[in-house]
Amino acid sequence: FPAPIAAISVAFAKYIHIFFPNENITVVASSLIIIIMVLNLFGLKVLGKFQKTVVFINFLLIISPNSIVHKNFKHNFSLK
């Protein structure tokens, strides 16, 4: 399904753009599609390991009190 993959890649690229404003959204989205395609060529086990690793890193970023994600969340959603 090419449309959902492209939509997710663009959403991820926009998320990355928050932390790295100099990065081009189109380049990041295209790179992500190519990375997932190459991993998929190696089989579902490799793609599954990649997905588990990314989810684990996201989990660590969310629960870490000193992470960039935590600081931006507090900054963007503070109740002033």
Side-chain angles (χ1 to χ4, degrees):
F1 304 115
I5 294 171
I8 291 170
S9 297
V10 170
F12 180 77
K14 287 182 179 180
Y15 178 74
I16 291 296
H17 188 71
I18 293 170
F19 301 108
F20 303 102
N22 295 331
E23 296 297 324
N24 188 345
I25 294 174
T26 306
V27 172
V28 174
S30 301
S31 300
L32 182 62
I33 291 172
I34 292 170
I35 290 169
I36 291 173
M37 181 189 71
V38 169
L39 288 173
N40 203 10
L41 291 174
F42 289 109
L44 290 177
K45 287 186 179 182
V46 174
L47 193 60
K49 288 180 184 178
F50 173 74
Q51 183 178 4
K52 286 180 185 177
T53 304
V54 169
V55 169
F56 181 71
I57 291 170
N58 285 334
F59 176 73
L60 290 178
L61 287 173
I62 290 170
I63 65 169
S64 173
N66 294 324
S67 72
I68 294 171
V69 175
H70 194 276
K71 288 178 183 176
N72 282 339
F73 182 80
K74 288 173 79 174
H75 173 71
N76 292 333
F77 298 103
S78 62
L79 299 173
K80 291 183 179 180

